[in-house]
């Protein structure tokens, strides 16, 4: 997707086109574009927030998971707890 196509898609999403929002989320997840997903999540997209949590978990990005958990995302908090528990389990060995 070209930059101009992406810009047009962002404009459509900003005007409330839910299909455009879904497309942006999908593209951002494919590109591992945390910034785009954050922006969409901050504008109220639960799907973008879910993708952001999923991507952060895949990348073991504890800072991003902490930021999301601090913002009230319970999924991020749960994953963060699992990842940090796994880390402490490794310390016990």
């Amino acid at each position: 997707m070209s930059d101009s196509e992406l810009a047009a898609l962002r404009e459509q999403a900003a005007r409330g086109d839910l299909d455009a929002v879904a497309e942006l989320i999908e593209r951002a997840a494919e590109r591992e574009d945390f910034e785009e997903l954050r922006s969409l999540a901050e504008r109220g997209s639960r799907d973008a927030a879910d993708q952001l949590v999923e991507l952060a978990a895949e990348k073991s990005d504890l800072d991003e998971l902490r930021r999301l958990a601090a913002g009230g995302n319970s999924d991020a908090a749960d994953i963060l707890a699992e990842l940090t528990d796994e880390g402490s389990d490794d310390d016990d060995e």
Side-chain angles (χ1 to χ4, degrees):
M1 176 171 273
S2 71
D3 287 344
S4 62
E5 291 170 323
L6 192 55
L9 194 58
R10 286 181 181 129
E11 286 177 27
Q12 290 173 322
R15 289 193 305 266
D17 183 332
L18 297 180
D19 290 334
V21 171
E23 179 80 14
L24 275 177
I25 292 167
E26 183 178 333
R27 301 279 181 173
E30 289 171 0
R31 293 188 323 269
E32 299 181 352
D33 187 340
F34 281 84
E35 187 173 327
E36 182 97 61
L37 289 170
R38 269 188 227 112
S39 175
L40 293 164
E42 288 169 2
R43 289 186 302 208
S45 172
R46 177 68 184 166
D47 291 338
D50 290 345
Q51 282 294 317
L52 190 54
V53 169
E54 186 176 318
L55 185 57
E58 287 174 11
K59 298 293 182 184
S60 296
D61 187 334
L62 299 181
D63 290 336
E64 185 67 24
L65 289 167
R66 283 185 190 102
R67 188 190 72 74
L68 292 163
N73 188 303
S74 60
D75 292 335
D78 291 344
I79 292 170
L80 183 60
E82 288 175 21
L83 289 174
T84 55
D85 283 347
E86 288 173 10
S88 65
D89 288 346
D90 291 342
D91 292 342
D92 294 340
E93 293 178 11

